Amino acid sequence: MINVGQAIVLGIVEGLTEFLPVSSTGHLKITEGLMDIPVDDKAVVGFTAVIQVGAIAAVLVYFFSDIVRIVTAWGRGIAKPSERYHHDYKFGWWVIFATVPVVIVGVAAKDLIEGPLASLWVVAGSLIGGSVVMWLADRYGTHKRGEDDTSFTDAMLIGSSQILAMLFPGFSRSGATMSTGLLLGLDRVAATRLSFFLGIPALTGAGVYELPSALDSGAGTTPLIVGTLVSFVVAYASIAWLLRFVARHSFTSFVIYRVVIGLLLFGLLGAGTLDA
């Protein structure tokens, strides 16, 4: 179904776009379409979910010290009630709770997500619709709150916004979470970092969940391994670049890029160059 060469290309696309607010799912589906890979095939859907684990591994490595700090504080709080005042202890629980809505919707709407909603028409519309939300969030957000100022409500709203990206591929998981963070008044770096942390359980869970079906449906072990390794390397570089970029720039360039890609995709679909 997917050969090693295609796996390398898809791994590069996944690594570049997973954490940029441009929709990794959308770009993967466009790339698959250009390579004549059926975007709604279960083996293909499983393959793309599995190679996301490489990108998630890049997050785990890049933020290793932060994750150890949060997990350690969470563990201390579990063992000693006197330690539960710590923000990191609370944040550990928030990540868990914020993942629950995503899991419920992901399981309940699995057939829709892998079927009708996998259409490139949906991707094109979601790219443009998500761009509007992102521009409004960046333009009108106060950018006054840092990571230590976040609350349980913030985590739940930002984490739950990942549902938009599941239902509307092209909206972008990172775009949805970052935009929600900005609308809640977080600064760009805080919104971006929270997008990383809150995405770890959902994306890892999706990859593990899809692994058996991806292997059973003929995705191929070697392409899966190659695609995952490539996505890890590229994603690590992408994370480092993005954090430097948002510290100094707005999201306007991402908004423009998304609109251009969305319009281009509409054009290719309308002309019959791509099969939805």
Side-chain angles (χ1 to χ4, degrees):
M1 178 61 68
I2 296 175
N3 59 44
V4 173
Q6 292 170 327
I8 292 173
V9 173
L10 293 175
I12 292 171
V13 173
E14 164 63 24
L16 280 174
T17 61
E18 181 59 56
F19 301 112
L20 301 184
V22 296
S23 175
S24 62
T25 301
H27 280 74
L28 284 168
K29 291 185 181 300
I30 292 171
T31 305
E32 289 160 1
L34 291 172
M35 293 193 296
D36 292 324
I37 298 172
V39 298
D40 58 349
D41 186 279
K42 288 189 176 181
V44 177
V45 174
F47 179 88
T48 55
V50 171
I51 64 173
Q52 284 179 334
V53 175
I56 290 300
V59 173
L60 295 175
V61 173
Y62 192 91
F63 292 104
F64 182 75
S65 60
D66 295 283
I67 293 171
V68 169
R69 189 190 73 243
I70 292 168
V71 172
T72 300
W74 182 76
R76 283 201 306 264
I78 292 292
K80 298 175 62 177
S82 61
E83 294 289 333
R84 295 176 185 175
Y85 70 92
H86 203 289
H87 183 271
D88 286 337
Y89 165 76
K90 297 175 184 177
F91 187 72
W93 278 116
W94 297 348
V95 171
I96 295 171
F97 291 140
T99 304
V100 173
V102 182
V103 173
I104 293 174
V105 174
V107 173
K110 187 174 187 291
D111 291 338
L112 277 175
I113 294 169
E114 295 181 356
L117 293 178
S119 168
L120 288 178
W121 288 107
V122 176
V123 172
S126 300
L127 276 166
I128 295 174
S131 300
V132 174
V133 175
M134 187 182 301
W135 182 83
L136 290 172
D138 199 31
R139 173 68 176 80
Y140 295 104
T142 61
H143 308 283
K144 291 182 177 179
R145 300 170 58 207
E147 191 174 336
D148 291 336
D149 299 322
T150 53
S151 66
F152 173 71
T153 301
D154 295 328
M156 288 301 296
L157 290 173
I158 295 171
S160 297
S161 69
Q162 296 175 102
I163 293 172
L164 287 171
M166 281 200 308
L167 297 179
F168 305 104
F171 202 99
S172 169
R173 186 205 64 80
S174 55
T177 51
M178 291 176 193
S179 296
T180 302
L182 293 173
L183 287 170
L184 292 169
L186 296 177
D187 62 51
R188 295 185 183 98
V189 174
T192 301
R193 283 173 57 86
L194 284 176
S195 173
F196 289 136
F197 292 136
L198 291 168
I200 291 173
L203 291 176
T204 303
V208 172
Y209 179 78
E210 292 286 356
L211 181 58
S213 60
L215 292 173
D216 293 342
S217 55
T221 303
T222 300
L224 277 173
I225 293 173
V226 171
T228 302
L229 289 174
V230 171
S231 72
F232 169 81
V233 174
V234 177
Y236 189 91
S238 178
I239 292 167
W241 177 84
L242 179 61
L243 287 170
R244 290 195 300 270
F245 181 86
V246 298
R248 301 175 178 85
H249 304 87
S250 72
F251 284 86
T252 302
S253 56
F254 292 119
V255 171
I256 295 172
Y257 173 80
R258 288 170 57 101
V259 171
V260 170
I261 294 297
L263 293 174
L264 177 61
L265 183 54
F266 270 129
L268 292 172
L269 290 169
T273 304
L274 281 181
D275 183 358

